[in-house]
């Protein structure tokens, strides 16, 4: 089977969801949000197995990739690529995957205090749901190598306050309007939705991330990329098959 290397896979993100209409209240200090970010700041990167399904315009079939991240392993061995489309990956595919995982932070709750830094622009309550909105992310919020377009993106976070302890339910990152990157690439649409459930010791665990990107990139073409990633927590150190031999996700 021929190897496939989908362009800009590291940027692919999205799923639109509907929120009930309500007038947002003015921004203010919020104790629940402060507690959430303080908890995230002391949480470590999670150990997970990720199954990513990626659909790219022009491809006849989606790509399905399975990899793992285990922060308990030594530097350079934390990421492992298990399979692509149910088979052992080829050299070119391993190289492309390695570029992607070393250019980004491992996803998860542990980065929430960085991603959602600063005072939200509005806060509103809809029944048990407390909804926060940021018009623009802070510089470096995405934690990616290369051009930083964090400030061109907006964010929403939803907390469920119906239980004894507030629970993080969803985080949505999106572009409110098209923008250019380095005056070369054009991002027509960008959206990422991350769903969380309570994990070990009550710490939120990322269980699902859906993404959509519509971009124009020189020498790579135009098109829409959609992805769905599902995460399974690892309860013990996994046996790895394809180790990342050098480099690791940048600290941030």
């Amino acid at each position: 089977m021929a190897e496939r290397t989908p362009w800009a896979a590291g940027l692919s993100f999205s799923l639109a969801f509907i929120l009930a209409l309500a007038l947002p209240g003015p921004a203010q200090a919020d104790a629940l949000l402060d507690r959430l970010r303080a908890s995230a700041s002391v949480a470590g990167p999670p150990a997970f197995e990720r199954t990513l399904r990626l659909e790219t315009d022009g491809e006849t079939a989606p790509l399905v990739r399975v990899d793992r991240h285990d922060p308990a392993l030594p530097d350079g061995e934390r990421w492992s690529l298990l399979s692509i489309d149910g088979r052992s990956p080829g050299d070119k595919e391993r190289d492309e995957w390695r570029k992607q995982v070393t250019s980004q932070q491992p996803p998860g709750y542990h980065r929430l205090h960085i991603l959602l830094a600063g005072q939200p622009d509005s806060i509103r309550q809809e029944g048990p749901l407390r909804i926060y909105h940021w018009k623009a992310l802070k510089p470096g919020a995405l934690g990616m190598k290369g051009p930083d377009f964090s400030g061109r993106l907006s964010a929403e976070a939803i907390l469920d306050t119906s239980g004894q302890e507030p629970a993080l339910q969803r985080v949505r990152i999106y572009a409110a309007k098209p923008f250019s990157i380095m005056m070369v690439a054009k991002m027509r649409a960008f959206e990422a939705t991350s769903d969380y459930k309570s994990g070990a010791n009550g710490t939120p665990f990322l269980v699902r991330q859906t993404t959509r990107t519509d971009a124009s990139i020189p020498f790579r073409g135009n098109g829409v990329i959609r992805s769905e990633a599902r995460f399974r927590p690892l309860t013990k150190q996994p046996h790895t098959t394809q180790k990342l031999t050098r480099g690791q996700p940048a600290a941030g």
Side-chain angles (χ1 to χ4, degrees), residues 6 24 26 30 55 65 69 72 118 166 168 176 181 195 219 223 230 250:
D30 186 87
E55 298 182 14
R65 187 178 70 199
H69 177 262
L168 177 64
I181 303 174
D195 294 323
F219 309 111
R230 292 187 177 272

Side-chain angles (χ1 to χ4, degrees), residues 134-235:
W134 289 260
K135 293 181 180 178
L137 301 181
K138 297 294 184 182
L142 294 182
M144 298 173 64
K145 294 181 180 179
D148 180 21
F149 53 89
S150 301
R152 311 302 292 271
L153 301 178
S154 303
E156 286 181 336
I158 302 177
L159 268 64
D160 185 350
T161 62
S162 61
Q164 186 173 6
E165 289 291 332
L168 177 64
Q169 187 177 87
R170 175 170 287 179
V171 176
R172 175 180 173 238
I173 307 297
Y174 66 97
K177 59 183 180 181
F179 61 91
S180 297
I181 303 174
M182 301 290 289
M183 303 300 293
V184 177
K186 180 75 172 181
M187 188 71 73
R188 290 186 290 266
F190 179 91
E191 187 170 5
T193 301
S194 300
D195 294 323
Y196 291 83
K197 289 186 178 180
S198 181
N201 301 319
T203 301
F205 180 79
L206 176 64
V207 294
R208 181 172 180 260
Q209 186 178 72
T210 55
T211 67
R212 182 180 184 276
T213 300
D214 183 356
S216 173
I217 302 178
F219 309 111
R220 294 187 175 182
N222 306 310
V224 176
I225 302 175
R226 300 176 182 86
S227 74
E228 179 186 34
R230 292 187 177 272
F231 298 82
R232 178 177 67 85
L234 298 179
T235 56

